[in-house]
Amino acid sequence: MQYFDHFPAPPPDPATQRLGENPYIHPSCRIRNSRIGAWTALGEDTFLVDSSFGDYSYTAGNVQIIYAEIGKYCSIANSVRINPGNHPQWRVTQHHMTYRRRQYQLGESDDLEFFQWRKDHNCVIGHDVWIGHGAVIMPGVRIGTGAIIGSGAVVTKDVGPYQIAVGVAAQVIKQRFSDEVIGRLLESHWWDWDRATLEERFEDLLQVDTFLQKYSTVPA
């Protein structure tokens, strides 16, 4: 009789995987026409299409990102969808046969103008953004650096830097810091530090007051 702890053997877990300059990409991910930064981790069943994914950002798994720019140091929880498919509401029928014409044998080519319209309504996520479990970021939405999106939120409007938005449709309920502190954090551009600087100053990222005293040129 044999003992099994896991079957089949579990794939590497991005939470325990040692990261580096080369991205960690789970074997089940599907990626097309996208740029991925260093020290990144794409968890199981991440779908990344026509997008950029910044340094140190990660997905927890089962995440779909299309036509989006993801900043550095972003934390994207399980089952998040960024830029879900849009349909042509202005047509008699909004069914996707009107733009995926070849699939339905209704034309020799697909509706490229419609797909370009989707690309033009991309999502832009700033740096150090935390997007909670199951959140949906609708087409064209901009989310500022340092923002938090609550679990299950459906974000239909822009969210500013360091704001916290929750609910359906998502509403901003507060901001993480005062306007003064937010301005000084944004001015620091710490997310652009190179690796050596990050390692040297890492402990200072844990205390806001210490950080601002050392790295903000804006007077308190």
Side-chain angles (χ1 to χ4, degrees), residues 12-219:
D13 181 357
T16 58
Q17 183 80 9
R18 291 180 64 86
L19 302 178
E21 290 292 325
N22 293 323
Y24 166 76
I25 301 174
H26 190 279
S28 65
C29 293
R30 291 172 292 167
I31 300 170
R32 187 171 70 243
N33 191 34
S34 295
R35 300 184 304 275
I36 304 172
W39 301 91
T40 48
L42 297 180
E44 187 173 1
D45 291 321
T46 293
F47 185 65
L48 187 68
V49 175
D50 289 294
S51 297
S52 61
F53 198 77
D55 297 348
Y56 295 90
S57 292
Y58 72 89
T59 67
N62 192 33
V63 169
Q64 296 186 14
I65 302 170
I66 186 168
Y67 304 142
E69 299 174 23
I70 310 299
K72 302 174 183 179
Y73 297 92
C74 287
S75 305
I76 303 177
N78 196 283
S79 301
V80 166
R81 180 67 193 264
I82 299 175
N83 206 342
N86 238 337
H87 288 253
Q89 305 170 38
W90 55 89
R91 292 175 173 168
V92 173
T93 174
Q94 55 195 353
H95 192 273
H96 69 180
M97 70 179 177
T98 65
Y99 51 90
R100 300 189 187 277
R101 297 169 185 174
R102 290 184 300 172
Q103 185 176 7
Y104 289 88
Q105 301 184 48
L106 292 170
E108 295 298 322
S109 61
D110 289 333
D111 187 350
L112 299 182
E113 183 178 349
F114 174 79
F115 285 104
Q116 185 60 50
W117 173 77
R118 284 197 60 196
K119 291 180 180 180
D120 291 342
H121 289 77
N122 67 330
C123 291
V124 178
I125 312 299
H127 307 294
D128 195 32
V129 173
W130 173 21
I131 303 178
H133 186 284
V136 178
I137 315 301
M138 297 300 288
V141 167
R142 269 61 176 157
I143 296 177
T145 290
I148 297 174
I149 306 302
S151 297
V154 178
V155 186
T156 61
K157 298 178 181 178
D158 293 354
V159 177
Y162 294 91
Q163 291 183 336
I164 301 174
V166 301
V168 181
Q171 300 291 327
V172 174
I173 57 170
K174 62 180 180 179
Q175 58 188 36
R176 293 173 56 196
F177 306 112
S178 69
D179 290 340
E180 175 207 329
V181 170
I182 289 172
R184 296 173 71 189
L185 289 172
L186 291 172
E187 181 267 345
S188 73
H189 289 273
W190 68 264
W191 43 86
D192 290 330
W193 290 348
D194 60 23
R195 178 68 187 189
T197 304
L198 175 67
E199 291 179 357
E200 177 186 351
R201 302 176 178 178
F202 175 73
E203 293 294 331
D204 296 329
L205 291 171
L206 309 182
Q207 297 291 336
V208 174
D209 290 343
T210 300
F211 178 90
L212 294 178
Q213 289 172 8
K214 288 188 175 183
Y215 310 115
S216 174
T217 60
V218 178

